[in-house]
Amino acid sequence: MASITGTSVSVRTCSFQQTQVKSRTSLNSVSLSIQKTNFPSLRLQQVPRRFRVSCVAKPETVDKVCEIVRKQLALPADSTLSGESKFSALGADSLDTVEIVMGLEEAFGISVEEESAQSIATVQDAADMIENLIKKNDA
């Protein structure tokens, strides 16, 4: 098992007889070779030290989800909602979350499976799921 952290590479052998790690000193790529089986190279990019969030959903989708959540939870019009807003922090219980999902299904013309609905905790989670479902439906 190989793990890469910052600018170092460490390798722990599990049950492999031969484990080799080849890396360039700049740590831009790493190739693993285990028992003569080559794995694709991993491309590494430098990342700033602070936490970085990458969003899939369009801002319009996030805004529309915020409107639906605000309506379903009867939040004041001036209440601040963003992608990071957690349903539980907004006072939503499990029934509220089901109603939010139903509102999203109606507004976006999608059908959300129960497993997917249970994984939604934030506005961004809902918006990302909607974008993915729309992409699947368009394909």
Side-chain angles (χ1 to χ4, degrees), residues 3-138:
S3 63
I4 301 170
T5 311
T7 58
S8 65
V9 176
S10 64
V11 177
R12 288 187 288 170
T13 56
C14 298
S15 60
F16 302 109
Q17 294 176 358
Q18 296 177 344
T19 302
Q20 298 175 350
V21 174
K22 299 176 186 177
S23 68
R24 291 194 291 179
T25 56
S26 64
L27 200 62
N28 289 330
S29 68
V30 176
S31 297
L32 300 176
S33 178
I34 300 173
Q35 293 182 349
K36 299 181 184 178
T37 304
N38 290 323
F39 292 89
S41 294
L42 304 172
R43 299 283 176 217
L44 304 176
Q45 298 176 340
Q46 288 184 338
V47 179
R49 291 183 185 223
R50 46 188 117 114
F51 187 69
R52 188 167 128 189
V53 176
S54 174
C55 303
V56 174
K58 298 175 195 168
E60 308 87 60
T61 305
V62 175
D63 292 342
K64 192 168 181 179
V65 171
C66 286
E67 289 174 27
I68 292 167
V69 169
R70 187 175 283 116
K71 179 182 173 186
Q72 292 293 333
L73 298 178
L75 298 173
D78 63 342
S79 62
T80 305
L81 289 178
S82 68
E84 294 79 32
S85 298
K86 293 185 177 187
F87 295 158
S88 60
L90 298 171
D93 59 17
S94 58
L95 180 58
D96 291 324
T97 304
V98 169
E99 290 176 352
I100 290 169
V101 170
M102 289 171 59
L104 296 172
E105 288 177 326
E106 185 178 325
F108 289 94
I110 57 172
S111 179
V112 179
E113 295 180 15
E114 187 176 338
E115 299 84 32
S116 298
Q118 291 176 351
S119 68
I120 300 171
T122 66
V123 169
Q124 188 66 54
D125 292 342
D128 291 344
M129 179 204 55
I130 290 165
E131 291 285 329
N132 289 332
L133 287 172
I134 290 172
K135 284 179 187 174
K136 282 182 186 177
N137 291 342
D138 290 345

